[in-house]
């Protein structure tokens, strides 16, 4: 395939994408395939001879779309969304056509400076302090790992980087049981050890209890541990819990602890001023991650980390071997020194396109609709005999269960997902099997959300 072929086939691909999106409502949301079905259709080895684009494209059409779970399907109500606005798809097309790699300012000046510009736009959009800065990662997991590594090194006075962890004081990180497992993973991978992630008790509203936080830290100090940091949960994955950050911050300050906020899903909603109280205090923390790829239309992958002062993170993550030395090193930002990988995609372009093509008002109206429709659906389900609303809507997420018990709820979920018109997932809450409902795909409408009610009624 040469560049002339590319020109022809990328136009074909653009047509294909238009038809794909237009036809999504007619497809089952979840892939109706069994494990191994796709693999069995692939040849055992790559071809020695080149194959014509026609054949490759025909095989793509025959094999791949029918075996996908369609994340852009307007009735995808599972996990959290990974929404993709058309403007983001266009930006990704350009990024892939250019094939740039932005590890250093000089390897793609526009990539670095656009990233700085988008961080500035987003800080303003989410009403965060303008003095902060930040960077873009692939995922919230990587951003949280970067923050936890920074907590570790800050607490060890940066000795862990050079001497290793053996012989160092035992560290402790604090989070509530509602935080995502990316925090557990970060603490494990940082060599702190999962047993040293203290899951602080919560209040009735599932927020971290500041008194329990203080007691845990004091007990750890008495036992010879060194408290290193706190990860706050702003929009937990299971049922959307929010920590009361402002109430916990005095404890963090009293013990000079670094603070990081995981707002992977809910952060995008902070473009709407009415949702700010949910995250009050975030502006006084040290670091915050949110995923525009979840709920802001800048498709996967795009995780923004806001950082109050990047010095400690750069000291933790950055290395500057001679082959990466650049003449401008002192005057410019080399973002590889802020993140885990060396190589970097130009993720800022899709933010630039989405934020301009839709404006913040476009993002706000979508998020407000998702929240309003979720509440509406929740009330309709509440009115149904035999259905319990187990956790109330938090933004666009609530959970429900059948009053008959776990087995019946689980069987209902199996029937719903086998049916294919909507896709829902489950969690455990207070020992109970519950079905999560959340909406947020870019093209989701009120009719799609109400469609969920019909499916649930029909399949009960
Ligand atoms: N934090 C929360 C609250 C999440 O819901 C998720 C994923 O859904 C993550 C972190 C991890 O996100 P990522 O896939 O970007 O690593």
């Amino acid at each position: 395939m040469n560049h002339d072929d590319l020109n022809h086939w990328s136009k074909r691909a653009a047509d294909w994408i238009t038809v794909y999106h237009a036809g999504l409502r007619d497809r089952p949301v979840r892939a109706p395939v069994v494990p191994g079905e796709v693999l069995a259709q692939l040849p055992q080895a790559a071809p020695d001879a080149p194959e014509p684009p026609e054949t490759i494209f025909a095989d793509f059409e025959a094999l791949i779309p029918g075996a996908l779970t369609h994340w852009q399907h307007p009735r995808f109500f599972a996990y959290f969304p990974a929404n993709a606005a058309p403007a983001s798809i266009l930006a990704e097309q350009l990024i892939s056509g250019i094939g740039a790699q932005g590890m250093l300012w000089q390897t793609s000046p526009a990539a670095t400076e656009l990233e700085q510009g988008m961080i500035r736009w987003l800080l303003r959009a989410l009403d965060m302090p303008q003095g902060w800065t930040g960077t873009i990662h692939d995922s919230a997991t990587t951003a949280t790992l970067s923050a936890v590594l920074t907590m570790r090194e800050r607490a060890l006075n940066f000795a862990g980087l050079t001497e290793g962890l053996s012989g160092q004081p035992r560290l402790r990180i604090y989070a509530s049981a509602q935080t995502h497992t990316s925090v557990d993973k970060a603490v494990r991978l940082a060599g702190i050890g999962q047993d040293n992630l203290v899951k602080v008790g919560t209040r009735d509203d599932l927020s971290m209890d500041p008194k329990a936080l203080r007691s845990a830290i004091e007990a750890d100090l008495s036992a010879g541990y060194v408290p290193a940091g706190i990860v706050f949960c702003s929009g937990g994955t299971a049922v959307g819990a929010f920590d009361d950050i402002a109430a916990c911050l005095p404890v963090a300050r009293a013990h000079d602890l670094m603070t990081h906020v995981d707002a992977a899903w809910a952060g995008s909603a902070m473009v709407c001023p009415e949702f700010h109280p949910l995250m009050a205090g975030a502006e006084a923390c040290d670091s915050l991650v949110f995923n525009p790829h979840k709920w802001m239309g800048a498709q996967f992958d795009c995780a923004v980390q806001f950082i109050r002062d990047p010095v400690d993170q750069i000291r933790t993550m950055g290395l500057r071997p001679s082959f990466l030395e650049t003449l401008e090193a002192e005057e410019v930002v080399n973002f590889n020194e802020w993140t885990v990988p060396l190589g970097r995609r130009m993720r800022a372009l899709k933010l630039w396109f989405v934020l301009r093509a839709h404006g913040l008002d476009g993002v706000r109206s979508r998020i407000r609709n998702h929240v309003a429709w979720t509440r509406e659906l929740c009330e309709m389900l509440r009115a149904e005999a035999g259905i319990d609303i187990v956790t109330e809507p938090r933004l666009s997420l609530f959970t429900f269960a059948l009053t008959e018990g776990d087995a019946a709820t689980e069987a209902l979920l199996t029937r719903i997902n086998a049916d294919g018109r909507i896709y829902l997932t489950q969690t455990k809450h207070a020992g109970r099997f519950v079905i999560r409902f959340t909406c947020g795909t870019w093209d989701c409408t009120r009719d799609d959300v109400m469609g969920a009610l019909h499916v649930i009624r029909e399949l009960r």
Side-chain angles (χ1 to χ4, degrees), residues 80 138-142 180 182 235-237 262 264-265 291 293-294 300:
F80 279 137
D138 56 351
S139 64
T141 302
T142 318
H180 188 263
S182 54
T237 314
D262 177 6
W265 161 64
N291 284 347
H293 74 226
K294 281 191 164 56
F300 188 80

Side-chain angles (χ1 to χ4, degrees), residues 138-419:
D138 56 351
S139 64
T141 302
T142 318
T144 293
L145 174 61
S146 306
V148 168
L149 287 166
T150 307
M151 287 174 185
R152 184 191 81 188
E153 287 310 311
R154 196 174 160 274
L156 296 179
N157 201 18
F158 298 90
L161 294 172
T162 46
E163 297 166 18
L165 300 181
S166 120
Q168 303 289 356
R170 291 172 307 163
L171 303 181
R172 284 264 151 119
I173 305 284
Y174 305 86
S176 89
Q178 294 295 319
T179 43
H180 188 263
T181 45
S182 54
V183 181
D184 301 59
K185 190 184 259 191
V187 172
R188 285 171 171 226
L189 296 183
I192 294 170
Q194 191 162 351
D195 292 350
N196 293 315
L197 173 60
V198 180
K199 296 283 175 80
V200 179
T202 50
R203 302 191 284 201
D204 289 349
D205 63 358
L206 302 176
S207 68
M208 184 187 285
D209 181 349
K211 286 197 194 114
L213 174 65
R214 188 184 300 277
S215 310
I217 293 172
E218 285 168 1
D220 285 346
L221 284 168
S222 311
Y225 291 100
V226 173
I230 307 173
V231 180
F232 291 117
C233 173
S234 276
T237 314
V239 299
F242 284 84
D243 285 336
D244 182 350
I245 299 174
C248 294
L249 274 178
V251 186
R253 294 242 170 76
H255 296 281
D256 187 30
L257 298 189
M258 183 178 151
T259 48
H260 170 71
V261 183
D262 177 6
W265 161 64
S268 297
M270 299 307 131
V271 295
C272 305
E274 67 270 31
F275 300 134
H276 281 177
L278 290 170
M279 279 176 53
E283 71 290 343
C285 291
D286 297 302
S287 164
L288 177 149
V289 65
F290 83 101
N291 284 347
H293 74 226
K294 281 191 164 56
W295 208 7
M296 204 180 252
Q299 73 204 70
F300 188 80
D301 55 0
C302 187
V304 166
Q305 184 190 10
F306 293 149
I307 309 172
R308 168 186 296 284
D309 176 353
V311 168
D312 286 348
Q313 185 155 322
I314 294 172
R315 191 165 167 197
T316 303
M317 313 296 286
L319 277 178
R320 203 177 287 172
S322 57
F323 60 84
L324 294 178
E325 290 282 358
T326 65
L327 294 181
E328 319 82 359
E330 297 313 318
E331 299 109 61
V332 297
V333 167
N334 291 319
F335 270 129
N336 81 79
E337 296 174 0
W338 299 43
T339 57
V340 175
L342 172 61
R344 316 188 81 246
R345 303 183 66 236
M346 203 200 315
R347 298 188 179 91
L349 197 75
K350 55 195 167 191
L351 282 167
W352 196 43
F353 274 40
V354 169
L355 293 175
R356 297 180 64 194
H358 298 279
L360 289 172
D361 280 343
V363 177
R364 284 186 194 110
S365 69
R366 275 190 169 73
I367 289 175
R368 285 178 176 137
N369 279 337
H370 297 153
V371 172
W373 298 333
T374 300
R375 287 184 186 151
E376 201 179 335
L377 177 70
C378 177
E379 291 318 311
M380 288 174 154
L381 282 178
R382 201 193 304 275
E384 296 280 310
I387 290 186
D388 280 343
I389 300 302
V390 180
T391 59
E392 295 297 323
R394 287 182 162 106
L395 297 173
S396 58
L397 167 64
F398 69 90
T399 64
F400 66 97
L402 296 182
T403 50
E404 288 160 73
D406 283 2
T409 308
E410 195 169 343
L412 171 63
L413 182 65
T414 304
R415 283 197 298 282
I416 288 171
N417 289 336
D419 171 84

